[in-house]
């Protein structure tokens, strides 16, 4: 049974690497197992061994809400690295995604029809339905944005630009004001120690290898996690993990999103790797660990709040993570990614 597979964390492999999001999500680290990748083999999320083998690239989701969420993350957690390009107006919705995708192909003011059709199929913008009229309409939306963006990029800048449409810029400012004025969120993001200052990191990329053993065969499972914010309090011997989330609903509906997207598994996986990393790097053995979702609503009145993740939720998430890692290990060791292989094993 795949549940008989032993999982042994290789603590000495736990490491923190300083890198951009582009590098973290690049093909260089595409073979690593993230919480998102585990969803591809989770039957409760519609996953399967075949989907896992195909990988996140084949099941990539494109959404303007993801772009907006990234902007909130960047300006809350890394304001020294990012800035909003106020004078550049990006098209709305998937037209904006197309504009960004095609901008890198724009040479001498022309983009081939083949490239536009390929981008539309990739993003899902009139997939398999692009024609001359739709292309002309799209280019009319993109051209002013491309001109503004090009002019912006010719100016000296010390920060990475964020491009949004006018309405999204207004929403972004409202969300940032909500988060920045929320005492509970700010206290968690910027803790102050009683005697010693806590160790604090934002957007930390953590990696760790896990050895899996099945019927005398071994396979290394390389894990990766991008932690929004964490702190190690040496005074209280406590680890606090915070994850920033945007939601298109009111805050009282966040519990539904928490369950739907298995956020307890995400927090459990992150805490596990973080705890082992802290032990290796700082000889830090926490007596307590806290996990919080810092949530901001992207609809009026743009309320923000703290959603504390209970220990029972973390434990359930850990057990789910363990089960999914065992599924991955079974498929890797037996080289069997056929749908149903895990069920037949049972």
């Amino acid at each position: 049974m795949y549940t008989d597979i032993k999982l042994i964390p290789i603590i000495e492999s736990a490491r923190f690497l300083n890198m951009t999001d582009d590098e973290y999500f690049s093909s260089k680290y595409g073979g690593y197992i993230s919480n998102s990748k585990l969803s591809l083999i989770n039957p409760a999320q519609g996953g399967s061994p075949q989907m896992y083998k195909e990988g996140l690239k084949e099941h990539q989701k494109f959404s303007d809400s993801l772009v907006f969420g990234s902007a909130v993350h960047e300006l809350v957690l890394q304001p020294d690295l990012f800035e909003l390009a106020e004078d550049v107006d990006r098209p709305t919705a998937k037209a904006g995604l197309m504009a960004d995708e095609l901008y890198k192909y724009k040479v001498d003011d022309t983009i081939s029809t083949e490239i536009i059709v390929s981008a539309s199929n990739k993003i899902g913008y009139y997939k398999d339905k692009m024609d001359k009229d739709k292309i002309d309409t799209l280019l009319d939306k993109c051209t002013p944005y491309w001109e503004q963006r090009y002019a912006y990029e010719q100016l000296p800048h010390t920060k990475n630009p964020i491009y949004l449409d006018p309405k999204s810029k207004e929403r972004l400012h409202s969300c940032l004001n909500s988060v920045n004025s929320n005492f509970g969120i700010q206290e968690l993001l910027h803790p102050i120690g009683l005697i010693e200052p806590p160790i604090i990191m934002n957007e930390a990329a953590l990696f760790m290898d896990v050895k899996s053993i099945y019927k005398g065969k071994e396979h290394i499972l390389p894990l990766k996690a991008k932690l929004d914010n964490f702190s190690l309090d040496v005074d209280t011997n406590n680890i606090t993990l915070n994850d920033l989330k945007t939601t298109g609903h009111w805050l009282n509906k966040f519990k539904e999103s928490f369950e739907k997207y298995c956020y307890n598994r995400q927090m459990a996986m992150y805490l596990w790797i973080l705890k082992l990393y802290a032990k290796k790097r700082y000889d830090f053995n926490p007596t307590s660990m806290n996990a919080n979702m810092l949530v901001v609503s992207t609809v009026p009145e743009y309320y923000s709040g703290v959603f504390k993740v209970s220990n029972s939720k973390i434990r359930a998430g850990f057990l789910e993570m363990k089960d999914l890692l065992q599924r991955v290990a079974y498929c890797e060791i037996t080289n069997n990614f056929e749908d149903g292989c895990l069920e037949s094993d049972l």
Side-chain angles (χ1 to χ4, degrees):
M1 294 174 60
Y2 77 84
T3 52
D4 292 331
I5 291 177
K6 292 183 179 180
L7 299 175
I8 305 173
I10 305 176
I11 299 178
E12 57 269 22
S13 71
R15 59 205 183 276
F16 161 70
L17 298 178
N18 187 18
M19 64 177 65
T20 63
D21 279 356
D22 287 342
E23 184 178 4
Y24 178 82
F25 293 109
S26 70
S27 57
K28 180 178 180 181
Y29 297 98
Y32 285 72
I33 302 170
S34 64
N35 175 65
S36 297
K37 193 171 183 179
L38 283 180
S39 66
L40 297 180
I41 203 170
N42 185 8
Q45 294 178 277
S48 68
Q50 184 61 38
M51 287 180 63
Y52 179 86
K53 185 179 181 181
E54 292 167 350
L56 288 169
K57 188 174 181 180
E58 292 298 318
H59 298 276
Q60 191 172 2
K61 297 180 180 179
F62 295 92
S63 167
D64 224 31
S65 62
L66 294 177
V67 174
F68 186 85
S70 294
V72 173
H73 270 76
E74 290 161 350
L75 292 180
V76 169
L77 300 173
Q78 297 175 295
D80 55 327
L81 298 179
F82 293 91
E83 64 181 3
L84 179 63
E86 296 281 5
D87 297 329
V88 181
D89 292 335
R90 177 179 177 269
T92 60
K94 287 194 175 181
L97 297 173
M98 287 290 291
D100 288 336
E101 178 70 16
L102 295 175
Y103 184 76
K104 57 189 175 186
Y105 296 106
K106 191 174 183 299
V107 179
D108 298 328
D109 297 323
T110 60
I111 303 176
S112 70
T113 300
E114 290 76 13
I115 288 177
I116 295 175
V117 171
S118 176
S120 74
N121 290 336
K122 173 183 177 181
I123 291 173
Y125 180 84
Y126 293 111
K127 183 176 181 180
D128 298 325
K129 297 179 181 179
M130 289 297 287
D131 54 31
K132 185 179 184 304
D133 289 341
K134 290 185 176 64
I135 290 176
D136 289 343
T137 300
L138 174 67
L139 293 179
D140 287 341
K141 295 179 179 178
C142 293
T143 300
Y145 165 60
W146 289 336
E147 292 174 348
Q148 294 172 10
R149 179 169 171 175
Y150 179 79
Y152 178 88
E153 292 175 351
Q154 305 314 301
L155 301 174
H157 296 282
T158 59
K159 298 182 180 181
N160 298 308
I162 296 172
Y163 303 111
L164 295 175
D165 64 89
K167 288 186 178 180
S168 291
K169 291 177 193 176
E170 294 178 7
R171 286 195 300 134
L172 178 62
H173 287 302
S174 296
C175 289
L176 293 178
N177 288 336
S178 178
V179 170
N180 291 333
S181 61
N182 188 301
F183 177 77
I185 290 178
Q186 293 305 311
E187 189 176 39
L188 287 169
L189 290 177
H190 309 285
I192 300 174
L194 297 174
I195 300 176
E196 296 291 331
I199 299 168
I200 306 171
M201 285 191 186
N202 288 344
E203 296 293 347
L206 285 176
F207 297 81
M208 186 181 73
D209 296 335
V210 174
K211 180 191 296 185
S212 60
I213 305 174
Y214 182 66
K215 294 185 176 180
K217 296 181 179 180
E218 296 183 1
H219 181 81
I220 299 298
L221 303 174
L223 309 186
K224 70 174 184 178
K226 196 75 180 294
L227 281 57
D228 286 351
N229 167 272
F230 73 83
S231 60
L232 309 179
D233 192 323
V234 295
D235 292 333
T236 61
N237 209 30
N238 175 68
I239 287 180
T240 298
L241 173 68
N242 301 306
D243 195 83
L244 180 63
K245 296 293 184 189
T246 54
T247 177
H249 306 285
W250 291 347
L251 293 188
N252 60 2
K253 295 288 185 180
F254 180 71
K255 184 178 180 181
E256 297 175 12
S257 298
F258 184 86
E259 299 293 339
K260 178 180 179 180
Y261 298 110
C262 302
Y263 286 149
N264 63 323
R265 185 185 73 228
Q266 172 193 329
M267 300 302 275
M269 180 177 179
Y270 290 6
L271 271 178
W272 183 49
I273 300 176
L274 176 58
K275 178 183 178 181
L276 296 176
Y277 169 77
K279 177 177 178 61
K280 171 205 168 186
R281 175 66 176 82
Y282 301 106
D283 194 25
F284 189 87
N285 294 296
T287 55
S288 62
M289 296 189 293
N290 300 313
N292 308 289
M293 315 296 289
L294 314 180
V295 188
V296 57
S297 173
T298 61
V299 296
E301 298 289 330
Y302 307 102
Y303 292 121
S304 59
V306 178
F307 185 93
K308 294 184 180 297
V309 186
S310 66
N311 290 336
S312 61
K313 292 288 187 183
I314 292 295
R315 175 170 174 76
F318 182 83
L319 293 176
E320 181 178 310
M321 176 201 69
K322 177 185 175 183
D323 176 83
L324 298 182
L325 286 177
Q326 288 174 318
R327 289 171 181 263
V328 172
Y330 176 85
C331 294
E332 293 284 2
I333 291 175
T334 62
N335 195 29
N336 184 358
F337 289 87
E338 296 295 326
D339 289 349
C341 66
L342 295 167
E343 287 74 12
S344 62
D345 181 56
L346 290 173

